[in-house]
Amino acid sequence: MSERSALRSRLEALVREVAKFGAVGGAGVVVNFVVFNLVRQLTEVPVVRASIIATVVATGTNYLGYRYFTYRDRDKQGRTKELTLFLLFSAIGLVIENGLLYVATYGFHWDSPLQSNIFKFLGIGVATLFRFWSYRTWVFRALPAREAVETAESFLADRPQLPRSASRK
């Protein structure tokens, strides 16, 4: 495999990963907004608390989607560690997401239902960038064997080929 081919292969894999991450995340955003707006409409729970509840519910559904769809081919050893890291980085994402909503709601008094949904959406966007990086880097790590195979294939592809008659001797 040439260097260009290897780069193309890695880029294609990243695009597939981003698409799967986006599909699961998109479903999570729908869950997040449905729960958020239901809690806001059906209860007297304050806006940021309603958002935290919605984020926690979406986080649970997202874990299942990431583990069994997006990153199903990744290392499955140490599920306790994986889940612990997932929850840690999800909690940081929760703070990012809901911190933005908190500042908008209590700092600027932008608390109409439309404004709350806009700032929740912006918070989800910023937190998603963090979550993508942290999940792929720390939680759902690539299998070391796959990296070794790709490196070996790249090495073999870059090696000059001997004529068939020379390789049979």
Side-chain angles (χ1 to χ4, degrees):
M1 206 184 250
S2 71
E3 195 171 314
R4 178 179 273 178
S5 238
L7 180 60
R8 175 178 276 165
S9 176
R10 292 176 84 186
L11 185 59
E12 288 171 354
L14 180 62
V15 167
R16 281 191 303 275
E17 180 182 347
V18 168
K20 288 179 178 182
F21 187 91
V24 171
V29 168
V30 170
V31 168
N32 201 327
F33 274 103
V34 167
V35 172
F36 173 64
N37 286 293
L38 283 174
V39 170
R40 288 217 51 212
Q41 290 177 3
L42 301 176
T43 71
E44 296 296 319
V45 174
V47 66
V48 175
R49 288 186 191 160
S51 181
I52 290 170
I53 291 167
T55 302
V56 168
V57 172
T59 297
T61 59
N62 283 357
Y63 176 76
L64 296 173
Y66 293 138
R67 167 41 51 215
Y68 297 106
F69 177 65
T70 306
Y71 297 113
R72 69 177 174 248
D73 62 334
R74 298 286 176 99
D75 189 5
K76 294 176 181 71
Q77 301 298 316
R79 286 283 173 96
T80 302
K81 180 181 177 186
E82 173 186 283
L83 187 55
T84 301
L85 288 171
F86 180 83
L87 292 174
L88 171 70
F89 290 120
S90 293
I92 294 168
L94 181 143
V95 170
I96 294 168
E97 175 183 331
N98 293 292
L100 192 74
L101 180 61
Y102 180 89
V103 169
T105 302
Y106 299 109
F108 294 98
H109 304 289
W110 294 329
D111 57 0
S112 73
L114 177 61
Q115 290 168 326
S116 295
N117 277 287
I118 288 170
F119 284 99
K120 179 156 183 63
F121 183 78
L122 291 174
I124 288 171
V126 173
T128 296
L129 295 173
F130 168 77
R131 287 177 178 128
F132 178 72
W133 170 80
S134 63
Y135 293 167
R136 79 182 307 264
T137 303
W138 300 103
V139 180
F140 302 107
R141 300 190 66 166
L143 291 169
R146 175 175 287 178
E147 292 170 9
V149 167
E150 288 173 358
T151 302
E153 287 175 343
S154 176
F155 172 77
L156 292 173
D158 291 340
R159 206 175 75 187
Q161 299 294 319
L162 294 173
R164 283 192 173 259
S165 60
S167 63
R168 291 183 191 165
K169 292 181 183 177

